[in-house]
Amino acid sequence: MRGALAIAGLVLSLFTPVTDSQTSSPPPGKITLDIKTINGSGCPAGTADAAAVVSEDNTSFTVTYNNFVARTGAGASAVDQRKNCQINVLVHVPQGFTYAVAEADYSGFAHLAAGATALEQANYYFAGTAATARVPHSLTGPFDGQWHNQDVADVATLVYAPCGVDRNLNINAELRTSTTDKSAGSFIEMDTSHASVNTTYQFAWKQC
């Protein structure tokens, strides 16, 4: 089965936190994104079709790519049970502004037999900084349908990219599955073939 994923992110605890009074409206003009690299067991070279799209109002962006699915049980090997994909994206920000990622919305599909579990988690960091802790979201079988996870940062903890410096944002997402019934196949994926599935990063903006 072809898996397709859209990945979204958490806030990065990398720089000095700011207060609500320092936040700003989105900057004028169009924000652009460049995906620099994609790699990992869930998106091996040559299998991922990546695209990054910024919303018209500069309040969010989405990233979509293919072949990111974790499987367990019938027909699955040990390496199928844990998949990761790291995407490196450069956000081109207008002069005088910087950004944080304030909210991440993940959604996808899963089919889990009784005795199977699945996990989605991710961490994020700007180039040259330490990665954030992973925030796990789990599912337990029996389950068959769409799932949705949301990571939201408190305004007081928002952390922004450094002003005046282009820093690539790394998003490292992971899917895991396990089962006690090896005869039944189970999987978790984020599949863009379903129109209702997407993953979105919500921006918070600040003037430098």
Side-chain angles (χ1 to χ4, degrees):
M1 179 183 298
R2 182 184 179 185
L5 270 173
I7 303 182
L10 289 173
V11 175
L12 314 175
S13 298
L14 308 177
F15 306 99
T16 304
V18 300
T19 65
D20 188 28
S21 62
Q22 293 174 285
T23 60
S24 172
S25 298
K30 186 64 178 175
I31 306 304
T32 61
L33 302 174
D34 288 335
I35 293 179
K36 298 301 184 180
T37 59
I38 304 171
N39 57 70
S41 59
C43 51
T47 66
D49 298 322
V53 180
V54 182
S55 65
E56 290 296 327
D57 60 3
N58 290 337
T59 59
S60 65
F61 72 97
T62 60
V63 179
T64 62
Y65 53 96
N66 295 322
N67 298 302
F68 198 165
V69 55
R71 305 177 185 280
T72 191
S77 66
V79 297
D80 293 327
Q81 296 178 24
R82 179 185 178 274
K83 298 290 184 177
N84 83 291
C85 187
Q86 178 161 309
I87 184 168
N88 179 287
V89 59
L90 178 60
V91 183
H92 295 281
V93 178
Q95 187 174 3
F97 286 85
T98 186
Y99 73 96
V101 180
E103 181 180 312
D105 292 281
Y106 302 75
S107 58
F109 285 81
H111 172 76
L112 302 175
T117 60
L119 176 74
E120 173 270 314
Q121 60 182 1
N123 62 0
Y124 312 87
Y125 60 98
F126 292 112
T129 66
T132 62
R134 296 179 183 273
V135 178
H137 301 277
S138 59
L139 287 172
T140 301
F143 182 92
D144 187 24
Q146 187 172 352
W147 54 266
H148 176 254
N149 298 327
Q150 186 177 61
D151 298 307
V152 180
D154 185 88
V155 171
T157 66
L158 286 177
V159 183
Y160 290 76
C163 287
V165 179
D166 283 337
R167 289 285 180 87
N168 288 18
L169 174 63
N170 292 280
I171 304 165
N172 191 4
E174 181 181 13
L175 298 175
R176 293 188 186 187
T177 53
S178 62
T179 186
T180 57
D181 183 359
K182 301 300 183 180
S183 65
S186 298
F187 68 87
I188 180 172
E189 66 180 5
M190 288 184 273
D191 189 346
T192 55
S193 66
H194 301 273
S196 60
V197 172
N198 56 60
T199 309
T200 305
Y201 297 83
Q202 299 288 338
F203 283 125
W205 290 102
K206 185 183 72 164
Q207 290 184 294
C208 295

